[in-house]
């Protein structure tokens, strides 16, 4: 019976995924990440602070209908998994008695890499196996027919109740299939296809070219080859001493030309890094990153008396509770219109604001903007300071839920469209598609770094706190008026008590 499950993302967004008893938790993860627009390879699922085994189905997971699952970030370090590969005959006879080979492989290995690992002989006791490039001749009734054309025999992998047989399936990692720890048994069978061996090998090269290059780069013989190629280049500039002594003038002229060329190149490089001032140049103030990891506010030493609540705080809290407990009617349409008009008039009265953008390296820059400036203007000013202005990014208001769009339309104006009415801090956030190598590079241009200045924190004067014994701010209560009867204390004697006082 079908049911629904809720998945809560890291940004507290919720999505609903429809599941059946036979739905794998890996499919739930992929559907949830697709709706949240995040990569499924970087996340795991948890239920009540317990990590779920993504290789299980919904029926065997023990989850209740309507369960709320949490999306958590996966660790970047792969874990080791014991992988057992059950071979088909006749290869199974090479590994008695079970006919399988085992190896401990990382969880970020794809299924194709697993097969290639067993083919290499490292995990198969030195016996080379052919699992991914098998060809079978076309036969009719058991006899060879035609020209003996070889057709590709594709591997078919069975993991529990799942069958994987396409090249797209072979690109999935063990972690994507839900195996992040423990062991897994993969049953291998071979299936004849209608593709010729030549066409299949060309398609394999297209699908798994990147994986083959990575595997070759990790081989130990690749590093010495690079070193051997680099060695002649370092020795090439060496010149015999006789040649130098025979032609001193020629050598001196060459050195002069090289130095002048180097100076020209350095000058051109520096000139490329400096922005030329234009007629519409907007003033910018760049601030350096803080030298200390401790905020300046944390370095202040304040007395404990400054944090002790006083009578004024208690009275203000009581007034707030009283106001919150009163019944309030909803605003009418006219009052809502007046409130919206007042807010629009307040925004229209703003003529200029300052926006400070905080960069990933803790540098920050501040620009003044007017009513006609849009989000595209802010993005263009940020790109002028970036060393790599082609990288994708976004600018978000704290804490990061509201993103300023890179749009030059009138509806995306900073003051009118984004409702910015005062000096604002904006956070720079990398796009998810930006690789880690670009994020580790220097963010600002060298010319911008040289213009950066230190952030000056103004000193706040200490305000003396009045002693609690000073004059009270509370309104003195008036003395109760004496009543006509009684002793003047405001207490009225009952009739049955008046007779006891007479002698």
């Amino acid at each position: 019976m079908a049911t629904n499950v809720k998945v809560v993302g890291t940004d507290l967004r919720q999505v609903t995924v429809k599941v059946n008893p036979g739905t794998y938790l890996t499919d739930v993860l992929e559907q949830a990440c697709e709706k949240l627009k995040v990569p499924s390879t970087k996340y795991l699922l948890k239920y009540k602070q317990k990590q779920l085994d993504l290789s299980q189905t919904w029926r065997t997971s023990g989850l209740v209908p309507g369960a709320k699952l949490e999306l958590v970030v996966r660790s970047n370090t792969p874990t080791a998994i014991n992988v057992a590969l059950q071979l088909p005959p006749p290869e199974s006879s090479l590994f008695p008695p079970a006919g399988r080979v085992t190896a401990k492989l990382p969880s970020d290995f794809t299924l194709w890499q697993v097969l290639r690992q067993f083919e290499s002989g490292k995990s198969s006791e030195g016996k080379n196996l052919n699992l991914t490039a098998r060809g079978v001749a076309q036969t009719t009734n058991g006899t060879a027919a035609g020209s003996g054309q070889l057709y590709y025999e594709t591997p078919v992998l069975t993991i529990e109740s799942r069958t994987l047989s396409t090249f797209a399936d072979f690109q999935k990692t063990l972690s994507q299939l839900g195996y992040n720890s423990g062991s897994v048994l993969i049953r291998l069978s071979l299936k004849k296809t209608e593709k010729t061996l030549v066409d299949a090998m060309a398609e394999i090269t297209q699908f798994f070219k990147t994986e083959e290059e990575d595997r070759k780069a990790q081989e130990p013989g690749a590093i010495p080859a690079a070193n051997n190629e680099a060695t002649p280049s370092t020795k090439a500039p060496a010149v015999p001493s006789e040649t130098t002594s025979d032609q001193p003038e020629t050598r001196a002229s060459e050195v002069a030309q090289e130095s002048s060329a180097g100076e020209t190149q350095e000058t051109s490089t520096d000139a490329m890094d400096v922005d030329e001032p234009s007629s519409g140049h907007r003033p910018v103030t760049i601030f350096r990153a803080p030298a200390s990891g401790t905020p300046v506010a944390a370095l202040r030493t304040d007395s404990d008396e400054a944090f002790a609540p006083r009578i004024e705080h208690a009275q203000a809290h009581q007034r707030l509770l009283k106001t919150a407990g009163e019944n309030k009617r909803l605003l009418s349409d006219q009052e809502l219109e007046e409130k919206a008009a007042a807010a629009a008039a307040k925004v229209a009265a703003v003529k200029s604001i300052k926006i400070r953008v905080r960069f990933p390296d803790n540098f920050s820059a501040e620009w003044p903007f007017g009513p006609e400036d849009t989000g595209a203007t802010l993005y263009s000013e940020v790109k002028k300071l970036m060393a790599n202005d082609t990288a994708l990014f976004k600018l978000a208001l704290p804490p990061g839920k509201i993103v300023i769009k890179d749009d030059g339309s009138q509806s995306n104006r900073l003051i009118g469209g984004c409702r910015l009415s005062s000096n604002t801090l904006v956070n720079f956030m990398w796009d998810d598609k930006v690789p880690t190598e670009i994020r580790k590079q220097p963010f600002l241009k060298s010319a911008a770094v040289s213009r950066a200045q230190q952030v000056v924190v103004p000193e706040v004067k200490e305000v003396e706190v009045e002693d609690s014994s000073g004059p009270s701010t509370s309104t003195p209560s008036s003395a109760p008026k004496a009543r006509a009867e009684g002793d003047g204390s405001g207490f009225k004697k009952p009739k049955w008590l008046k007779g006891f006082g007479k002698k």
Side-chain angles (χ1 to χ4, degrees), residues 285-299:
T285 305
I286 304 174
F287 300 98
R288 292 185 177 275
S292 175
T294 305
V296 179
L299 300 177

Side-chain angles (χ1 to χ4, degrees), residues 323-340:
T323 305
E326 295 176 353
N327 294 330
K328 296 181 180 179
R329 66 176 181 84
L330 298 177
L331 298 179
S332 62
D333 294 342
Q334 183 179 359
E335 290 174 339
L336 290 175
E337 293 177 358
E338 293 176 355
K339 185 177 180 180

